[in-house]
Amino acid sequence: TLFPYTTRFRSKQTSLVAAHKAAAVLEGVERADQVSRSGENAVEQTLAGLNDMRQAVQGIADKIAELGERTRQIGSITDTVKSLADQSNMLALNAAIEAVRSGEHGKGFAVVAREIRSLADQSVQATTRVREILQDVSAAVAVAVTMTEKGTARVESGLVLARSSGESLRELSSMVKESSGAVRQIT
């Protein structure tokens, strides 16, 4: 008569232990579900941030391209100014020659021709300096373009990784939900 009681006691005890373990597993599965949801939210926020970053990098690239175009326009203007300065220099030289030919009457004109030639020389020097600065700006723009392209590539690879992580988290979340349902049935 003791044997059936012992078997029932052990069976009840085993059932209680199994129920406690199932409850503990259910609690762990529910925590895992919460963590996976948090992970999914984090991935979504990361994707949104990377998309914003991609747009910002594209905006920077557009502005850099615009700067490059402005630099080319300034270069064209300095070429025109240099050409005008060269022509003014030539006219001043011709005027100086004519002033010498005119003798005493051309002395005042010779002074004006010298001043025009001096201004033309200053214009040539200024355009040369502007060209040097434009070359520096163009080099900096080229470096910025390269950096922007690298940044864009990194953002794109980050987006790919974040999407992949999101898919993995979604799969994990689905598996956790399935396990949660099974554990609830067991409990």
Side-chain angles (χ1 to χ4, degrees):
T1 63
L2 187 62
F3 183 69
Y5 175 73
T6 306
T7 305
R8 268 188 275 147
F9 177 72
R10 285 187 185 168
S11 176
K12 185 177 181 182
Q13 192 176 24
T14 303
S15 292
L16 286 174
V17 168
H20 285 303
K21 289 196 181 234
V25 168
L26 180 60
E27 187 179 311
V29 167
E30 287 173 348
R31 277 196 321 256
D33 188 37
Q34 289 173 345
V35 169
S36 69
R37 284 185 199 151
S38 295
E40 285 183 55
N41 288 337
V43 168
E44 291 301 321
Q45 290 174 354
T46 300
L47 285 170
L50 286 171
N51 280 324
D52 290 346
M53 193 181 306
R54 179 182 10 171
Q55 289 175 351
V57 168
Q58 185 59 49
I60 291 168
D62 292 344
K63 290 297 178 189
I64 289 171
E66 193 177 305
L67 283 174
E69 180 57 32
R70 295 287 188 206
T71 302
R72 282 187 287 284
Q73 290 172 356
I74 292 170
S76 175
I77 292 168
T78 57
D79 287 345
T80 302
V81 170
K82 184 181 180 316
S83 176
L84 290 172
D86 288 341
Q87 290 174 24
S88 295
N89 202 358
M90 191 59 77
L91 286 172
L93 182 62
N94 287 337
I97 291 170
E98 289 301 319
V100 169
R101 278 190 192 167
S102 299
E104 198 59 38
H105 300 294
K107 283 186 179 182
F109 195 64
V111 171
V112 172
R114 249 191 326 268
E115 288 302 315
I116 291 173
R117 191 167 182 199
S118 174
L119 289 173
D121 287 341
Q122 289 175 18
S123 295
V124 168
Q125 290 172 3
T127 56
T128 300
R129 182 66 186 129
V130 169
R131 275 194 196 153
E132 291 169 359
I133 292 169
L134 285 175
Q135 287 172 348
D136 292 344
V137 169
S138 293
V141 165
V143 168
V145 165
T146 301
M147 291 172 66
T148 304
E149 288 170 351
K150 286 180 182 178
T152 300
R154 286 182 180 162
V155 168
E156 291 298 327
S157 67
L159 280 168
V160 168
L161 289 173
R163 285 185 189 118
S164 175
S165 296
E167 289 301 316
S168 296
L169 277 172
R170 281 186 200 90
E171 287 180 36
L172 178 62
S173 180
S174 175
M175 292 167 58
V176 166
K177 286 176 186 171
E178 287 175 18
S179 298
S180 176
V183 169
R184 279 192 184 95
Q185 287 178 350
I186 292 170
T187 302

